[in-house]
Amino acid sequence: MIVYDTGSGRVTGYSLGGRRDIEAGVRAILKPLDSWGATNHTADASFGTTISISCSKACQRFVANQEISNYLVNYHAASDTFDKVDLRELKLNTALAALNGVGSSGSRGAARQAPLPP
């Protein structure tokens, strides 16, 4: 599961939901985009998103760690409109999510090399 739940700010890496065993695989998958700076992956299990609570440890969860940009200023406010989205960052984040999704979904995906816990 790939989650982007804090706006359209620059991605600095992914929270791996306590799964340090898949970090090397994630790094290998995202290696072509290292110059974008999304390399600061964390092992924390982020529960700040409503989507994440439905995922157990056996579920590979990648929650984007993002720079806040203008997210909190407009959070659930009348000003929370599409024109506030940073389109450049949205495109970069979409490419990161796509590469991560394709790379980790196949049976030969680098992140899948780590066995799932019992």
Side-chain angles (χ1 to χ4, degrees):
M1 172 189 306
I2 301 171
V3 179
Y4 283 70
D5 195 29
T6 56
S8 61
R10 185 180 79 82
V11 173
T12 59
Y14 287 99
S15 166
L16 304 177
R19 298 286 311 274
R20 275 276 184 219
D21 57 317
I22 63 172
E23 185 173 3
V26 172
R27 287 192 183 286
I29 290 167
L30 298 179
K31 184 78 175 148
L33 304 180
D34 272 0
S35 65
W36 293 6
T39 57
N40 187 26
H41 307 298
T42 59
D44 61 321
S46 173
F47 291 99
T49 154
T50 54
I51 299 166
S52 295
I53 59 175
S54 63
C55 193
S56 70
K57 186 174 179 181
C59 174
Q60 289 182 3
R61 178 179 55 220
F62 308 98
V63 179
N65 294 324
Q66 293 176 264
E67 292 178 349
I68 297 300
S69 71
N70 66 356
Y71 179 69
L72 293 177
V73 175
N74 297 300
Y75 184 69
H76 288 240
S79 60
D80 193 1
T81 56
F82 288 116
D83 62 308
K84 305 298 185 303
V85 173
D86 182 331
L87 291 179
R88 179 184 181 277
E89 290 302 326
L90 177 61
K91 290 174 183 177
L92 294 173
N93 293 346
T94 301
L96 277 168
L99 183 60
N100 194 5
V102 169
S104 62
S105 66
S107 60
R108 294 183 186 190
R112 294 218 156 241
Q113 291 175 3
L116 293 175

